[in-house]
C-alpha cells in the first residue's frame, strides 16, 4: 500500500514501542497545569514550583505556593540555597514565552532535577486554577476544590 498521497503518512509512523518510549521521555520533561495543581493540593513536598518571570509579573498573579526566581538571575551563587533533593517545576507566561525553558535549562545545567509546566500561567488560568497575588508565594488553600481534568 502506497502512502505517497497522504501528508500524515509521508513519513512512516514509529512502531508502538518507539512511540511508547518517546511519549515516556516527553513526560519526564513536562507536567501540565492539572498535574501541578494536584500535587500542590495534595501537598507533595518533593516538588518546588518556580515562576521564572519578573517580580512585577509575579506580583500580578502566580501559582499559589510558587517562588519567584527570574531565570535571568539564576546562577551557581543564587541557587546555592536550593534543595537538590527536590524536583523544580518551572513556568512562565505561556507558550509564547520561553522563560520556563531558560530557567529549567539553567537549573539542570547546575545539577538540579527539573520539569517544565506546559502552557505556563496562561494554561493554568485557562484551567480555572487559583492564583495568588503580591510578592509572597502564598499557599494552596485547603478548601480549594479540585478541578476535574477534562482530558
Amino acid at each position: 500500500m502506497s502512502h505517497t498521497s497522504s501528508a500524515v503518512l509521508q513519513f512512516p509512523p514509529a512502531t508502538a514501542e518507539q512511540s511508547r518510549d518517546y511519549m515516556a521521555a516527553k513526560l519526564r520533561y513536562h507536567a501540565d497545569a492539572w498535574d501541578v495543581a494536584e500535587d500542590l493540593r495534595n501537598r507533595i513536598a518533593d516538588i518546588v514550583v518556580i515562576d521564572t518571570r519578573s517580580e512585577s509579573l509575579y506580583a500580578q498573579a502566580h501559582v499559589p505556593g510558587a517562588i519567584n526566581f527570574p531565570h535571568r538571575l539564576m546562577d551557581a551563587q543564587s541557587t546555592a540555597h536550593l534543595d537538590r533533593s527536590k524536583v523544580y517545576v518551572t513556568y512562565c507566561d505561556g507558550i509564547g514565552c520561553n522563560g520556563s525553558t531558560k530557567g529549567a535549562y539553567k537549573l539542570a545545567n547546575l545539577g538540579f532535577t527539573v520539569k517544565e509546566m506546559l502552557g505556563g500561567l496562561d494554561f493554568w488560568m485557562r484551567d480555572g486554577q487559583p492564583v495568588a497575588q503580591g510578592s509572597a508565594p502564598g499557599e494552596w488553600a485547603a478548601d480549594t476544590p479540585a478541578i476535574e481534568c477534562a482530558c
Side-chain angles (χ1 to χ4, degrees):
M1 174 185 269
S2 173
H3 300 295
T4 56
S5 62
S6 170
V8 171
L9 301 174
Q10 179 181 2
F11 296 95
T15 65
E17 293 79 15
Q18 290 169 326
S19 291
R20 177 201 62 217
D21 293 346
Y22 175 74
M23 297 305 162
K26 283 180 64 170
L27 292 169
R28 286 185 188 102
Y29 296 102
H30 298 105
D32 67 10
W34 188 86
D35 293 336
V36 173
E38 281 298 294
D39 279 7
L40 291 172
R41 181 179 291 95
N42 292 315
R43 309 245 189 270
I44 302 298
D46 297 330
I47 68 163
V48 175
V49 181
I50 295 182
D51 186 316
T52 63
R53 303 171 306 144
S54 70
E55 290 177 13
S56 62
L57 288 175
Y58 176 83
Q60 290 175 25
H62 59 270
V63 171
I67 61 172
N68 182 223
F69 197 171
H71 69 86
R72 296 179 194 286
L73 303 178
M74 293 178 182
D75 59 27
Q77 184 178 352
S78 66
T79 61
H81 69 285
L82 296 178
D83 183 347
R84 292 184 178 274
S85 70
K86 306 287 185 182
V87 174
Y88 292 89
V89 180
T90 62
Y91 76 89
C92 56
D93 281 334
I95 61 173
C97 176
N98 66 4
S100 60
T101 305
K102 289 176 180 178
Y105 170 79
K106 288 178 178 182
L107 290 171
N109 195 46
L110 292 165
F112 294 93
T113 305
V114 298
K115 283 195 172 201
E116 187 176 17
M117 187 174 82
L118 296 170
L121 191 62
D122 178 31
F123 281 18
W124 178 268
M125 293 189 310
R126 285 184 196 208
D127 278 358
Q129 303 295 353
V131 296
Q133 294 178 315
S135 60
E139 61 182 43
W140 194 269
D143 61 348
T144 302
I147 293 176
E148 198 168 317
C149 183
C151 59

